[in-house]
Amino acid sequence: MLKALRSSSCLQQARFTTGASYLQSNPRHGIKLSSPFHGVLRTVLANKNPNLVQRVFFCSDSSEKSGSDTVSAIEEAESNSAAAIVPTAIRKPDDFLTVLALPLPHRPLFPGFYMPIYVKDPKLLAALVESRKRQAPYAGAFLVKDDPGSEGTGADAEKNIYELKGKDLLNRLHEVGTLAQITSIQGDQVVLIGHRRLRITEMVSEDPLTVKVDHLKDSPYNKDDDVIKATSFEVITTLRDVLKTSSLWRDHVQTYNQHIGDFNYPRLADFGAAISGSNKLQCQQVLEELDVYKRLRLSLELLKKEMEIHKIQESIAKAIEEKISTEQRRYLLNEQYKAIKKELGLETDDKTAVTDKFRDRIDPNKEKIPPHVLQVIEEELKKLQLLEASSSEFNVTRNYLDWLTALPWGNYSDENFDVLRAQQILDEDHYGLTDVKERILEFIAVGKLRGTSQGKIICLSGPPGVGKTSIGRSIARALNRNFYRFSVGGLSDVAEIKGHRRTYIGAMPGKMVQCLKSVGTANPLVLIDEIDKLGRGHAGDPASAMLELLDPEQNANFLDHYLDVPIDLSKVLFVCTANVVETIPGPLLDRMEIIPIAGYITDEKMHIARDYLEKNTRDACGVKPEQVNLTDAALLSLIENYCREAGVRSLQKQIEKIYRKIALQLVRQGAQNKPLGLGSESTQDATESKEIEEAEVVETNVSATTHTPHPDHQASDLKDNEATEKVLVDDKNLADYVGKPVFHAERMYDQTPLGVVMGLAWTAMGGSTLYIETTQVEQGEGKGALHLTGQLGDVMKESAQIAHTVARAILTVKDHDNPFFANSKVHLHVPAGATPKDGPSAGCTMITSLLSLAMNKHVKKDLAMTGEVTLTGRVLPIGGVKEKTIAARRSGVKTIIFPLANKRDFDELAPNVKEGLEVHFVDDYNQIFDLAFETEK
């Protein structure tokens, strides 16, 4: 089968020249081969070049014949399994029974296929070059077995192969390989083309490895066997599908056909296995198989796998291509749609749409926009039309216009000038704070008389939790102004106030421009929180930037770095908050009107807790008023023993804690009163007993009615039962809800001992009492000295030294014969030692403490004092009168001594703060001496 048809007109004699290096033949004439396989493959390839199937075929393994009998050689080629490509010598491949062994690391070499390999062994490469020179350009190509103990990469494995020699290399080679002709050698690259199958019989030499081989021939087979025919045609059908996938495979067919001869069954199987992408072991199995039918079956399996892989590849490529094409189609259709609408005048381009949007913003308020701003907007709009939409400058200009046109130029909210309504709103939100409320009402009254309002800068200073931030929101509601808050605590970048330059990427305006855009009016109330905590960093000094913002003479033309046009902020009401005004820079403090909020006394806290905090917390927890009874005694105990700070934030937290526990108690009690279900009695009893134990802590606080519903009516009476139960919270069971008291009485002594006097101090948390203690450490002639402890600051240390000097002078006058200070080492201590203390208001207290110890006299009971004394005995004024007065009332003090200069501050206090206090105002320490020691018994 598959005989080559001879063409009498094309056939020429092939003449072998003895000693020549190659066989000469007519290059353009040959034998035209025709077979069923060739016909099918020619159809598949659609090759119109007749040279594809026209060639001179030289059989390298034919028997010895005359040079003129070429036709018989061609016929004999059909019965042999291998043929030479281009004979390079008179010797035939059958003559090579001893060959050099070439290791193939990746795939076996099939007859008829080229394979370039790299030979790293110098001796093996030299032997190949020598063989080619000796007209023996043949070697054995054998696939290398996998090393079972190696886990390295392919490159490492290939490197290890070239390091093997002799028997080690022989053991790693498969026995069956291919006789390969060396077609070229360039450097260490050797190009091989396979001829026929070989089997290694024995090793001849080790370095380079030379082996004896047997030439293998295919097992005899019946060419007319139907099974073989059917299998071969299935291989051809599969090959047709594979060859359609890539032109590379078609080139393989052309090369194979030109050099190996016509396709027969064995060559068809080799070709199919060679072009498949199967692994090397499967290809080696095909190479070793000599049974033609089994080889066809193996090749068919490999081709089927190749086809399945190609189908998967096609499906992936198709899915990706469909996705890309869909997106491209959508994009093209959108572009066409835009172009059509533009031609019809239904839609303008992007630049025109953006410009129209900006013009729509400014047209309604064009008369209110300042001329210089309107001019900038018009210039930027013209610039926008000239820019390309894809340029970066276009986006910068668009964002700039977006900010410029979004600001409320000349748009003011209608203010409320009703003083009575404003008073009502302020009283609804806050109790007390008379100073703040009066100042706001004054602002409203001035605005009503003038018919318009001006912006002001107010600074509320006071300890945390007194309502500085919340009062700002109430002021905005009372004035009917929009409210905007931002905190400057820790702010260290000037750009947060003044904005960034537009040249920076991601530039934004400052906080004030953002505020105006957010509120939509040009006269909002802006609350600047924590202004005493402004930072300072490498990006500038924000406190200096705030000067322009908060200066009434400058903020009418406030210039933001981003907008670069003046903005009128003169109608904005600024309310700042601070805990300590001393940390605010002087120039900035000078621009603000300071309204101190000292804190709340016990009576005020009671009103706030009862009227505001408890009501809001009860609603937030979902507890009804009839379900709980929080007594005044409980609130008083909560204020005095848990929440002594000046504000009410901690008081609010404690009230929330109480109501959360009450809510839990009510829910547990409701769960206990649920009617029994269909479950077992024992399970429900266990559940009820567990719930009773969990609620045992707070259950004693429940004052339940004596009404107990019948079990049959439990479900219907559950709501009534819950409504009639009321949780009682008083001073006796308060600890069950909020824990043990945090504070105890500030008064350490009912009657102060010798050398101990109560002073009054001011802190950021409000006022507090402060004891000064002195005691004699050592006595002896000339040992007079003063030792100080209590973590005192430099000011208090100097006050102590001055007090020691003044006390010695006064003792000399009052008791001339008393040498106490001259001969005694005195230790002065200010508890508590862990708290840093400093300030110029403890001089009077220190002098009194020293004199009490020196004169051995007790100070008047329930007396507290504050003030600084000079070396001449003059009493200097101090600050924090309200805070210190509140602290004295909280400690049960009856008599207070203040400097005479602070009488005005005391007179301004509310009557409920001054109630029950005996206050003395002095300007010389001798007056304090008389008040402190007059009633000593």
Side-chain angles (χ1 to χ4, degrees), residues 208-413:
L209 179 62
T210 307
V211 295
K212 285 186 177 182
V213 296
D214 287 340
H215 291 253
L216 303 179
K217 294 185 178 181
D218 297 329
S219 300
Y221 63 95
N222 184 7
K223 298 178 182 180
D224 298 326
D225 184 86
D226 293 337
V227 177
I228 294 180
K229 286 183 179 180
T231 307
S232 64
F233 278 110
E234 182 62 25
V235 171
I236 293 173
T237 304
T238 310
L239 271 174
R240 183 194 302 119
D241 297 334
V242 173
L243 293 174
K244 288 179 182 178
T245 62
S246 175
S247 60
L248 178 64
W249 304 132
R250 300 183 185 184
D251 296 339
H252 274 296
V253 175
Q254 184 175 351
T255 304
Y256 187 86
N257 183 263
Q258 286 177 346
H259 294 94
I260 202 63
D262 196 9
F263 278 89
N264 55 19
Y265 294 133
R267 292 170 185 167
L268 183 65
D270 288 346
F271 181 81
I275 70 170
S276 69
S278 305
N279 61 53
K280 62 182 183 180
L281 295 180
Q282 292 175 326
C283 294
Q284 179 67 25
Q285 188 179 0
V286 176
L287 184 67
E288 293 177 356
E289 186 58 61
L290 300 180
D291 187 281
V292 175
Y293 170 68
K294 292 182 179 179
R295 192 189 301 171
L296 284 170
R297 288 290 303 270
L298 291 173
S299 180
L300 181 61
E301 291 179 5
L302 299 184
L303 289 172
K304 291 290 186 183
K305 290 181 180 178
E306 186 74 18
M307 201 61 208
E308 290 298 323
I309 293 173
H310 176 69
K311 289 180 180 178
I312 297 173
Q313 178 185 352
E314 276 189 339
S315 64
I316 295 173
K318 185 178 179 181
I320 296 175
E321 184 178 354
E322 286 179 354
K323 182 179 179 181
I324 295 175
S325 62
T326 301
E327 292 177 355
Q328 290 177 343
R329 182 171 177 270
R330 182 183 295 275
Y331 174 77
L332 292 175
L333 289 176
N334 282 331
E335 291 299 318
Q336 293 174 1
Y337 179 67
K338 290 180 182 178
I340 292 171
K341 292 183 71 176
K342 186 176 180 181
E343 288 294 328
L344 295 175
L346 300 177
E347 185 178 278
T348 56
D349 58 4
D350 290 341
K351 290 193 293 184
T352 307
V354 171
T355 304
D356 292 342
K357 181 184 73 172
F358 293 146
R359 291 197 179 278
D360 292 341
R361 285 184 183 178
I362 63 175
D363 285 344
N365 300 321
K366 201 166 186 178
E367 297 178 354
K368 298 180 181 179
I369 300 177
H372 62 277
V373 177
L374 197 59
Q375 181 181 356
V376 173
I377 293 176
E378 291 294 340
E379 291 176 356
E380 293 295 325
L381 286 173
K382 292 178 181 178
K383 177 182 175 182
L384 189 69
Q385 287 295 327
L386 299 176
L387 294 172
E388 289 294 332
S390 58
S391 67
S392 59
E393 185 67 21
F394 179 85
N395 291 326
V396 173
T397 306
R398 184 181 60 185
N399 291 337
Y400 179 53
L401 282 169
D402 188 25
W403 280 102
L404 272 178
T405 56
L407 292 183
W409 302 103
N411 184 18
Y412 301 100
S413 61

Side-chain angles (χ1 to χ4, degrees), residues 9-226:
S9 62
C10 298
L11 183 63
Q12 280 193 343
Q13 297 287 347
R15 294 172 297 194
F16 293 89
T17 304
T18 305
S21 62
Y22 59 90
L23 183 64
Q24 294 180 341
S25 65
N26 192 324
R28 301 300 298 172
H29 297 278
I31 302 164
K32 187 173 184 180
L33 302 176
S34 177
S35 69
F37 296 109
H38 235 135
V40 170
L41 291 173
R42 188 185 297 110
T43 304
V44 172
L45 298 175
N47 194 345
K48 298 180 180 180
N49 184 8
N51 291 331
L52 177 62
V53 292
Q54 228 176 13
R55 63 181 179 77
V56 178
F57 185 86
F58 299 97
C59 181
S60 62
D61 59 349
S62 61
S63 58
E64 295 292 337
K65 297 183 184 291
S66 64
S68 62
D69 198 5
T70 309
V71 175
S72 62
I74 295 172
E75 291 176 341
E76 189 177 353
E78 181 65 33
S79 62
N80 291 289
S81 60
I85 292 83
V86 180
T88 58
I90 298 176
R91 297 177 62 187
K92 298 177 296 181
D94 279 348
D95 297 337
F96 293 94
L97 300 176
T98 301
V99 294
L100 293 169
L102 296 176
L104 303 179
H106 304 300
R107 286 177 64 87
L109 175 63
F110 283 92
F113 280 85
Y114 282 100
M115 177 180 287
I117 65 170
Y118 291 91
V119 179
K120 303 296 183 182
D121 188 354
K123 291 185 178 180
L124 179 58
L125 184 62
L128 292 174
V129 173
E130 184 65 25
S131 297
R132 198 162 185 268
K133 289 181 180 179
R134 289 189 289 104
Q135 307 302 324
Y138 290 95
F142 301 93
L143 182 66
V144 179
K145 299 176 183 177
D146 291 332
D147 187 3
S150 175
E151 297 181 357
T153 61
D156 295 337
E158 187 173 349
K159 183 178 178 181
N160 296 334
I161 291 170
Y162 294 125
E163 295 176 355
L164 298 176
K165 305 293 182 183
K167 291 184 178 180
D168 294 335
L169 179 58
L170 181 64
N171 293 333
R172 289 287 303 278
L173 298 179
H174 285 275
E175 288 185 358
V176 178
T178 308
L179 179 66
Q181 179 179 339
I182 305 169
T183 62
S184 67
I185 300 177
Q186 295 181 356
D188 59 352
Q189 186 186 53
V190 180
V191 180
L192 306 176
I193 187 168
H195 275 265
R196 59 182 62 189
R197 288 168 169 79
L198 299 176
R199 185 189 302 275
I200 299 175
T201 57
E202 61 177 303
M203 182 176 67
V204 176
S205 62
E206 293 189 357
D207 195 13
L209 179 62
T210 307
V211 295
K212 285 186 177 182
V213 296
D214 287 340
H215 291 253
L216 303 179
K217 294 185 178 181
D218 297 329
S219 300
Y221 63 95
N222 184 7
K223 298 178 182 180
D224 298 326
D225 184 86
D226 293 337

Side-chain angles (χ1 to χ4, degrees), residues 532-580:
D532 59 326
K533 299 176 182 62
L534 273 172
R536 184 171 185 174
H538 67 281
D541 183 12
S544 300
M546 295 286 288
L547 294 176
E548 180 185 1
L549 180 64
L550 299 181
D551 191 339
E553 301 299 328
Q554 299 183 38
N555 60 14
N557 295 297
F558 177 76
L559 189 64
D560 185 87
H561 289 161
Y562 182 86
L563 294 184
D564 205 25
V565 293
I567 305 173
D568 184 10
L569 301 179
S570 60
K571 300 293 191 296
V572 178
L573 176 59
F574 292 97
V575 177
C576 306
T577 68
N579 295 127
V580 183

Side-chain angles (χ1 to χ4, degrees), residues 738-810:
V738 293
K740 294 181 179 180
V742 178
F743 300 101
H744 299 282
E746 285 190 2
R747 294 190 59 173
M748 299 171 61
Y749 315 99
D750 290 334
Q751 172 61 55
T752 53
L754 292 174
V756 179
V757 181
M758 180 189 295
L760 298 174
W762 178 91
T763 67
M765 298 293 292
S768 66
T769 56
L770 191 71
Y771 282 94
I772 305 293
E773 302 176 343
T774 54
T775 185
Q776 186 180 23
V777 177
E778 189 177 1
Q779 186 175 10
E781 187 70 26
K783 289 189 177 182
L786 179 65
H787 178 62
L788 304 175
T789 58
Q791 206 170 160
L792 307 181
D794 292 338
V795 176
M796 286 195 71
K797 289 179 180 178
E798 291 183 358
S799 295
Q801 295 294 336
I802 294 173
H804 189 252
T805 302
V806 174
R808 292 186 66 167
I810 292 176

